[in-house]
Amino acid sequence: MGKWTPTREAPEPLEGNVVAVVTGGTVLWFVMFLVQIPFYRWFEGQGLLWWLWTCLAGGGLGLYGIHYVRGREAALRRTAEEDPGGAEAGSPPDSR
């Protein structure tokens, strides 16, 4: 027998300044990488060198994330300009 769970309506998505959040996170990853560089030999000796490379990878992926969210914001802005009285910004277009 399956477990019954009530169906609820999905909440509205939270919208905020996504570009600033992703940029802040990316800066934080790069700062953590730069702070750890002077301790390279210690990390290597402890077998924790992956911490350094994780921070660098986080910064690199953050750069891609900044590119992605800036493109998303531009697309949402274009959609809002094309249909100012229609669909709410950020909502998917109707498939009619």
Side-chain angles (χ1 to χ4, degrees), residues 9-79:
E9 187 175 326
E12 291 294 319
L14 295 174
E15 290 294 331
N17 193 348
V18 182
V19 177
V21 171
V22 174
T23 302
T26 303
V27 168
L28 185 62
W29 279 113
F30 278 125
V31 166
M32 290 188 312
F33 172 73
L34 293 174
V35 166
Q36 291 179 17
I37 287 177
F39 303 102
Y40 183 89
R41 295 279 183 225
W42 184 85
F43 282 118
E44 189 175 38
Q46 299 294 318
L48 299 173
L49 200 53
W50 63 271
W51 286 16
L52 186 74
W53 304 125
T54 299
C55 293
L56 185 61
L61 289 171
L63 290 176
Y64 173 73
I66 292 169
H67 172 73
Y68 181 84
V69 296
R70 289 183 72 198
R72 178 182 177 271
E73 291 291 324
L76 290 174
R77 200 174 313 113
R78 278 193 308 269
T79 302

